[in-house]
């Protein structure tokens, strides 16, 4: 009884702290993230919360599909799970989401070829009209969430149009899964740095996430089958069952390959001059733990029980290999056998893993995962949190020393406050789904 009471008190403290973090970070994005002049969102802010002056690849005012859709998703999820209403943000979130959808449909949708552009300038002039499945899936994810939050039919109309384009142009009808990188007319990109010859767990996992939300919104059999198919692809081809971790990249026939940088997506913004420095067949600890809750969320929407064995083995692998026993927190990448390759710690892995470990506890009732959730929150709060702006930093050394302390950039915005079952908005900040789930753990709140 004493241990139970101590755990209850810890969880109440975490719940209160997450609520405080959310109350600071959401207003930051409501105040600074909406482009009041041209529409859409501005996301590139420095450690002081000021708009950046330059970036390595794009300009700070350019608008990329990934963060434009993540902002739509974030404000929509706040509305759908009731948090916007609870904290007095409802009208602001409605307007923030709607104007984002207005801009996105008007400027990013390719009326000639269908699908969405990758990047526009601040005014919405298309700079890169490539059709990347990664971006298309986030459009489905965001627009389906927006539809369920607001009832605006445009959301589900364009989510379904995007799904139809993926099935028409990107589906691999021979090996299964999806080709991932296309030119503006859906011609497959070249091999190597442009990724025309590769498939990845990252993109297939997020396509599964998008189809989960799409099926939740429509309940259409065609969307259900597509979700079931991609779950099968991920579990059949993309998991190393010798170690119980995910692989990163594959050839078109799903033969595992060493992971290289892919222009536009896979680590390219960090090393734009080189396609692959020392490529290795690594695993991403963040993707491993993320896959747990994405799979369980998909099963929930399909009316199935959690994948308990998968959850336990993937969570145990991450605890044994990806968790830093000295400083706390989750490393970025390692070899399948446990050798750590990249020891720094990035915001998305360390906030995503909060959801993963909490989900693991709820699926298995193994208190080790709940204990890790609490320890990880303590690490994130201590090292990632930037009190000056009320948001998280991007990248730390293993000991918590900041390396990149951006408040937001072309990948980092309101989105990772989430995820899944009613969350607030990739990829940053304490997850409102975490907050909601903490309330249910141990009978709290």
């Amino acid at each position: 009884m004493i241990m139970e009471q101590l755990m209850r008190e810890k969880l109440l403290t975490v719940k209160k702290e997450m609520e405080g973090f959310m109350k600071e970070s959401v207003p930051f994005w409501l105040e600074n993230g909406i482009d009041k002049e041209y529409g859409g969102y501005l996301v590139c802010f420095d450690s002081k919360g000021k708009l950046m002056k330059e970036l390595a690849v794009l300009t700070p005012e350019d608008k990329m599909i990934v963060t434009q859709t993540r902002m739509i998703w974030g404000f929509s999820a706040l509305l759908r799970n009731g948090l916007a209403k609870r904290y007095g943000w409802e009208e602001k979130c409605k307007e923030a989401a709607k104007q984002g959808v207005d801009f996105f449909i008007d400027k990013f949708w390719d009326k000639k070829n269908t699908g969405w552009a990758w990047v526009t300038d601040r005014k919405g002039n298309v700079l890169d009209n490539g059709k990347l499945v990664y971006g298309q899936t986030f459009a489905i994810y965001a627009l389906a969430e927006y539809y369920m939050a607001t009832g605006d039919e445009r959301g589900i109309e364009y989510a379904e149009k995007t799904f139809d384009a993926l099935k028409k142009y990107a589906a691999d009808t021979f090996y299964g899964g999806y080709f991932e990188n296309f030119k503006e007319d859906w011609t497959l990109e070249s091999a190597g740095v442009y990724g025309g010859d590769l498939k990845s767990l990252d993109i297939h996992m997020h396509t599964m996430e998008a189809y989960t939300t799409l099926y939740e919104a429509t309940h259409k059999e065609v969307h259900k089958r597509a979700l079931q198919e991609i779950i099968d692809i991920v579990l059949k081809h993309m998991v190393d069952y010798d170690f119980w971790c995910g692989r990163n990249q594959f050839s078109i026939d799903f033969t595992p390959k060493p992971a290289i940088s892919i222009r536009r997506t896979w680590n390219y913004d960090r090393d734009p001059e080189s396609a692959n420095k020392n490529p290795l067949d690594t695993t991403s600890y963040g993707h491993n733990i993320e896959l747990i809750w994405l799979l369980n969320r998909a099963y929930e929407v399909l009316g199935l029980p959690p994948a308990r064995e998968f959850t336990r083995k993937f969570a145990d692998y991450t605890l044994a290999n990806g968790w830093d026993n000295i400083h706390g927190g989750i490393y970025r990448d390692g070899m399948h056998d446990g050798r750590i390759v990249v020891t720094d710690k990035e915001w998305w892995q360390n906030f995503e893993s909060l959801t993963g470990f909490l989900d693991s506890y709820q699926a298995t009732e193994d208190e080790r995962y709940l204990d890790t959730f609490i320890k990880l929150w303590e690490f994130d709060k201590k090292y990632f949190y930037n009190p000056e702006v009320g948001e998280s930093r991007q990248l730390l050394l293993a000991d918590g020393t900041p390396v990149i302390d951006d408040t937001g950039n072309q990948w980092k915005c309101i989105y990772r406050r989430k995820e899944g079952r009613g969350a607030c908005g990739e990829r940053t900040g304490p997850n409102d789904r975490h907050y909601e789930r903490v309330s249910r753990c141990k009978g709290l709140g």
Side-chain angles (χ1 to χ4, degrees):
M1 289 298 294
I2 294 175
M3 294 302 294
E4 184 81 11
Q5 181 61 30
L6 287 173
M7 179 61 78
R8 178 182 174 85
E9 290 174 0
K10 283 184 179 179
L11 288 169
L12 283 168
T13 298
V14 171
K15 176 183 174 182
K16 183 178 179 180
E17 290 171 347
M18 285 185 167
E19 183 181 26
F21 197 160
M22 181 184 65
K23 285 180 177 179
E24 293 182 355
S25 58
V26 173
F28 173 86
W29 292 106
L30 283 169
E31 181 178 347
N32 299 285
I34 292 101
D35 186 342
K36 298 178 179 63
E37 187 172 357
Y38 296 106
Y41 306 102
L42 298 171
V43 297
C44 298
F45 299 97
D46 63 20
S47 61
K48 307 292 184 183
K50 304 298 183 184
L51 192 66
M52 290 184 194
K53 295 182 179 179
E54 60 181 358
L55 292 172
V57 178
L58 303 173
T59 76
E61 294 184 348
D62 289 339
K63 294 171 179 174
M64 188 172 74
I65 185 173
V66 177
T67 31
Q68 295 298 301
T69 53
R70 288 173 176 176
M71 292 287 281
I72 292 169
W73 185 92
F75 292 125
S76 300
L78 277 169
L79 289 166
R80 188 157 79 99
N81 64 23
L83 290 169
K85 184 175 183 179
R86 183 189 306 176
Y87 298 115
W89 304 325
E90 189 170 22
E91 292 307 314
K92 288 184 178 180
C93 284
K94 284 181 180 178
E95 178 53 34
K98 180 182 180 301
Q99 68 82 31
V101 170
D102 292 343
F103 182 89
F104 187 56
I105 292 175
D106 184 44
K107 303 300 184 182
F108 275 79
W109 182 253
D110 186 337
K111 297 178 180 65
K112 177 182 178 182
N113 299 297
T114 74
W116 306 93
W118 183 246
V119 179
T120 74
D121 65 13
R122 182 175 178 181
K123 295 180 180 179
N125 298 306
V126 174
L127 301 178
D128 183 346
N129 204 13
K131 303 299 187 301
L132 279 69
V133 170
Y134 190 79
Q136 309 302 311
T137 60
F138 273 101
I140 294 172
Y141 186 46
L143 292 169
E145 185 74 22
Y146 172 74
Y147 165 73
M148 287 189 285
T150 67
D152 186 337
E153 294 286 344
R154 295 179 304 162
I156 203 61
E157 176 190 354
Y158 278 90
E160 292 196 69
K161 282 183 177 180
T162 312
F163 172 85
D164 292 345
L166 289 182
K167 298 303 288 184
K168 180 177 181 179
Y169 296 114
D172 183 346
T173 56
F174 189 82
Y175 291 110
Y178 294 83
F179 301 101
E180 298 181 350
N181 298 287
F182 297 85
K183 299 174 183 178
E184 69 176 289
D185 62 354
W186 292 96
T187 302
L188 196 62
E189 275 284 11
S190 55
V193 67
Y194 286 97
D197 60 337
L198 295 175
K199 292 175 180 174
S200 68
L201 171 62
D202 186 16
I203 290 173
H204 281 72
M205 183 173 68
H206 284 297
T207 304
M208 179 179 73
E209 178 182 36
Y211 287 2
T212 298
T213 305
L214 180 62
Y215 176 57
E216 183 183 13
T218 69
H219 299 290
K220 290 185 176 181
E221 183 66 23
V222 65
H223 300 145
K224 179 181 181 180
R225 290 199 309 271
L227 174 57
Q228 292 169 326
E229 287 167 1
I230 202 159
I231 290 171
D232 290 343
I233 288 290
V234 169
L235 295 182
K236 181 179 180 180
H237 296 295
M238 297 187 164
V239 173
D240 183 343
Y241 288 102
D242 290 331
F243 294 98
W244 285 89
C245 64
R247 298 187 182 277
N248 278 330
Q249 292 179 4
F250 311 83
S251 62
I252 296 303
D253 65 359
F254 295 108
T255 301
K257 296 185 69 172
I260 66 169
S261 299
I262 302 299
R263 198 175 294 266
R264 302 182 177 113
T265 55
W266 185 267
N267 292 331
Y268 179 76
D269 55 331
R270 291 193 177 161
D271 190 11
E273 301 304 319
S274 175
N276 54 349
K277 287 184 177 179
N278 190 30
L280 296 169
D281 185 13
T282 53
T283 189
S284 164
Y285 300 118
H287 282 155
N288 288 331
I289 203 74
E290 183 179 21
L291 182 57
I292 290 172
W293 78 258
L294 289 180
L295 183 62
N296 285 334
R297 173 60 177 148
Y299 280 3
E300 180 185 46
V301 170
L302 289 168
L304 301 173
R308 291 186 177 90
E309 180 186 20
F310 184 94
T311 295
R312 187 181 295 278
K313 289 186 174 181
F314 256 62
D316 284 350
Y317 176 88
T318 305
L319 270 179
N321 301 290
W323 177 260
D324 183 344
N325 288 307
I326 298 174
H327 304 288
I330 300 293
Y331 296 123
R332 280 179 54 203
D333 296 281
M335 303 300 293
H336 296 208
D337 62 9
R339 288 171 289 164
I340 309 301
V341 175
V342 185
T343 60
D344 58 18
K345 293 160 188 173
E346 194 161 21
W347 97 103
W348 74 261
Q349 290 97 334
N350 282 272
F351 284 105
E352 198 77 61
S353 296
L354 288 170
T355 304
F357 283 116
L358 193 52
D359 191 276
S360 298
Y361 167 71
Q362 290 191 306
T364 66
E365 297 186 353
D366 188 328
E367 300 224 354
R368 293 178 304 143
Y369 307 141
L370 190 59
D371 184 58
T372 303
F373 163 77
I374 293 171
K375 290 177 180 177
L376 181 56
W377 169 250
E378 290 171 349
F379 178 87
D380 290 353
K381 177 185 65 175
K382 181 176 180 179
Y383 294 107
F384 278 102
Y385 177 57
N386 179 356
E388 189 167 356
V389 291
E391 249 292 354
S392 75
R393 301 178 173 94
Q394 177 177 340
L395 188 68
L396 313 172
L397 296 178
D399 65 1
T401 303
V403 178
I404 302 175
D405 56 2
D406 299 346
T407 299
N409 54 45
Q410 295 291 2
W411 296 92
K412 180 181 184 296
C413 60
I414 197 174
Y415 159 79
R416 275 210 199 272
R417 213 153 336 270
K418 58 154 188 154
E419 306 209 359
R421 204 178 314 199
C424 121
E426 283 339 307
R427 277 171 164 177
T428 86
N431 186 315
D432 292 339
R433 179 170 181 259
H434 305 145
Y435 170 66
E436 177 185 329
R437 285 192 154 197
V438 170
S439 299
R440 301 206 308 270
C441 280
K442 299 291 185 179
L444 304 181

